[in-house]
């Protein structure tokens, strides 16, 4: 349970009454204890203003015959302190539900003693998906062949933020796309993942709540080498006219590597290792540009022009194609 404390002073019948405004945050299905110290519990009660999606309800009295038990499963804990002449008049709410969220006011003879804003958090239910199927176990991927992993966080309140880690490190160099449907309490993040031979696991991390600041789901990946005779499927890279395009490639940096382009004259080299070939300059291509950092051997088309530098590009490692793209103008 987390809370924030703000103090203010009220004047009741000419006397100063110290009143506190607390923000208490609890997780759903836990027990909340709201504390209040009064002089006489026999003339005290708690009042509740319902908050959240159910709308406000004023003046619901707790601790008297007017308690609405359909909303509250509660008990009062009253303990006298003879040395101070006061009593603890604590409200205990077991098995919190979302409808318990709201403003609670401890009152004595009509004067407010304590005001607490109780918030109920609901942790997310997280699932990892691939090709419309849920990933329940470790899964296989092919080195250099892109796949999309989807992370879905459902039911959270408040909504969480999603991020990715590969091998325990933030996946800042991987392409991701995030979306949320607040009304449905769903957050989705897609990781467009090109496996590298050293990858061992992928994690989707939900953050942004108070009680559980971080929740992760991790799956192990088994990276398989591409067969010598095999080639990854060519992927379309659609861009606006005159806009840049980043082509991602992961290769073993100790391998013989290159980028090529299919032309009317055949397949021509653009870069061999990091060495630029003349065609790369003519087509306005750069290698490992800081604007493209999704892989470790990326190619950037600075400005896609129809009939000039659109078309098919391939990334090679040790004589095998590990990534292939068709750069085209978005219609």
């Amino acid at each position: 349970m987390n809370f924030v404390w703000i103090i203010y002073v009220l004047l009741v019948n000419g006397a100063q009454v110290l009143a506190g405004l607390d923000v208490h945050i609890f997780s759903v299905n836990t027990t909340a204890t709201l504390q209040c110290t009064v002089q006489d519990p026999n003339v005290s009660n708690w009042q509740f203003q319902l908050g959240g999606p159910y709308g406000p309800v004023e003046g619901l009295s707790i601790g008297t015959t007017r308690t609405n038990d359909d909303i509250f499963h509660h008990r009062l804990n009253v303990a006298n302190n003879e040395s101070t002449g006061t009593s603890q008049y604590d409200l205990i709410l077991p098995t919190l539900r979302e409808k318990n969220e709201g403003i609670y006011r401890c009152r004595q003879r009509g004067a407010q003693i304590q005001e607490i804003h109780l918030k109920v958090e609901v942790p997310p239910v997280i699932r990892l998906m691939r090709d419309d199927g849920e990933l329940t176990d470790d899964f296989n991927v092919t080195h250099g062949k892109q796949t999309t992993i989807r992370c879905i966080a459902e039911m959270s309140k408040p909504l969480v933020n999603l991020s990715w880690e590969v091998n325990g490190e933030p996946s800042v160099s991987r392409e991701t796309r995030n979306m949320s449907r607040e009304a449905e309490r769903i957050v989705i993040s897609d990781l467009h993942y090109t496996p590298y031979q050293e990858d061992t696991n992928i994690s989707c991390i939900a953050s942004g709540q108070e009680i559980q600041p971080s929740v992760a789901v991790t799956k192990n990946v088994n990276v398989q080498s591409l067969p010598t005779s095999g080639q990854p499927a060519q992927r379309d890279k659609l861009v606006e006219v005159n806009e840049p395009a980043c082509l991602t490639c992961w290769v073993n940096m100790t391998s013989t590597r290159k980028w090529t382009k299919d032309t009317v004259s055949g397949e021509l080299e653009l870069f061999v290792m990091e060495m630029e070939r003349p065609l790369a300059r003519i087509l306005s291509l750069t290698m490992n540009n800081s604007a493209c950092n999704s892989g470790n051997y990326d190619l950037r088309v600075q400005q896609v022009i129809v009939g000039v530098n659109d078309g098919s590009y391939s990334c090679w490692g040790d004589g095998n194609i590990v990534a292939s793209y068709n750069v085209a103008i978005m219609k």
Side-chain angles (χ1 to χ4, degrees):
M1 182 273 289
N2 295 352
F3 65 91
V4 178
W5 179 266
I6 303 171
I7 298 294
Y8 60 93
V9 174
L10 294 178
L11 289 176
V12 180
N13 297 326
Q16 284 189 344
V17 178
L18 185 66
L21 175 60
D22 282 309
V23 178
H24 288 238
I25 303 174
F26 291 86
S27 186
V28 70
N29 295 324
T30 62
T31 297
T33 299
L34 310 183
Q35 297 180 333
C36 184
T37 301
V38 299
Q39 299 292 327
D40 186 355
N42 295 315
V43 291
S44 301
N45 74 315
W46 284 88
Q47 287 189 334
F48 174 64
Q49 177 181 340
L50 187 64
Y54 300 92
V57 176
E58 298 283 355
L60 182 61
S61 184
I62 305 170
T64 72
T65 56
R66 289 183 294 148
T67 297
N68 186 341
D69 285 322
D70 289 337
I71 296 179
F72 289 96
H73 299 282
H74 73 280
R75 65 179 185 272
L76 288 169
N77 182 36
V78 180
N80 298 322
N81 189 331
E82 295 182 359
S83 62
T84 62
T86 61
S87 297
Q88 281 301 117
Y89 190 71
D90 299 343
L91 177 65
I92 301 174
L93 302 171
T95 318
L96 280 174
R97 295 170 289 175
E98 290 183 60
K99 64 177 69 176
N100 295 131
E101 186 170 280
I103 305 295
Y104 293 78
R105 299 181 179 94
C106 177
R107 302 170 65 86
Q108 179 178 268
R109 291 192 175 91
Q112 183 171 298
I113 304 298
Q114 178 88 323
E115 181 172 285
I116 294 173
H117 185 188
L118 186 146
K119 292 186 176 182
V120 179
E121 280 192 350
V122 180
V125 176
I126 303 175
R127 296 182 295 138
L128 293 185
M129 310 287 293
R130 183 188 182 198
D131 299 328
D132 297 325
E134 185 171 357
L135 291 173
T136 57
D137 301 304
D138 302 348
F139 63 100
N140 298 326
V141 292
T142 302
H143 171 67
K145 185 176 181 180
Q146 189 183 77
T147 187
T148 298
I149 309 298
R150 169 164 287 191
C151 181
I152 303 175
E154 301 173 287
M155 303 305 297
S156 66
K157 176 179 169 295
L159 290 183
V160 294
N161 302 310
L162 295 179
S163 59
W164 293 89
E165 288 185 354
V166 178
N167 304 328
E169 298 292 336
S171 62
V172 294
S173 63
R174 312 289 178 135
E175 297 180 60
T176 59
R177 180 182 63 155
N178 297 295
M179 65 196 85
S180 63
R181 301 201 294 266
E182 188 168 357
E184 301 174 50
R185 288 165 59 171
I186 294 177
V187 181
I188 298 172
S189 179
D190 288 342
L191 176 67
H192 304 299
Y193 168 56
T194 302
Y196 186 50
Q197 201 68 50
E198 297 177 358
D199 290 348
T200 59
N201 59 72
I202 292 177
S203 300
C204 179
I205 301 167
S207 59
Q209 294 192 338
E210 293 286 338
I211 303 301
Q212 291 182 283
S214 179
V215 181
V217 171
T218 300
K219 299 296 179 184
N220 293 327
V221 297
N222 304 312
V223 181
Q224 300 175 338
S225 298
L226 190 69
T228 303
S229 60
Q231 290 188 4
Q234 188 176 68
R235 301 190 296 276
D236 288 331
K237 190 72 172 183
L238 302 178
V239 297
E240 299 284 351
V241 64
N242 296 328
E243 290 296 312
C246 290
L247 309 183
T248 300
C249 185
W250 282 91
V251 296
N252 186 334
M253 295 304 286
T254 63
S255 68
T256 301
R257 54 198 179 276
K258 64 179 180 179
W259 275 94
T260 63
K261 185 180 188 306
D262 289 342
T263 71
V264 293
S265 301
E267 190 172 70
L268 299 181
E269 293 179 342
L270 304 169
F271 289 88
V272 177
M273 310 298 274
E274 277 65 44
M275 185 177 298
E276 181 186 65
R277 296 302 194 201
L279 183 59
R281 183 170 300 178
I282 294 172
L283 298 182
S284 298
L285 309 177
T286 59
M287 171 60 58
N288 286 332
N289 189 295
S290 60
C292 297
N293 59 356
S294 295
N296 63 356
Y297 194 61
D298 293 347
L299 182 71
R300 177 180 169 90
V301 184
Q302 300 285 59
Q303 188 180 41
V304 178
I305 302 173
V306 177
V308 177
N309 52 15
D310 58 345
S312 298
Y313 292 80
S314 297
C315 177
W316 300 71
D318 283 337
N320 297 316
I321 295 177
V322 296
S324 181
Y325 296 88
N326 178 41
V327 177
I329 299 300
M330 188 180 298
K331 296 181 180 180

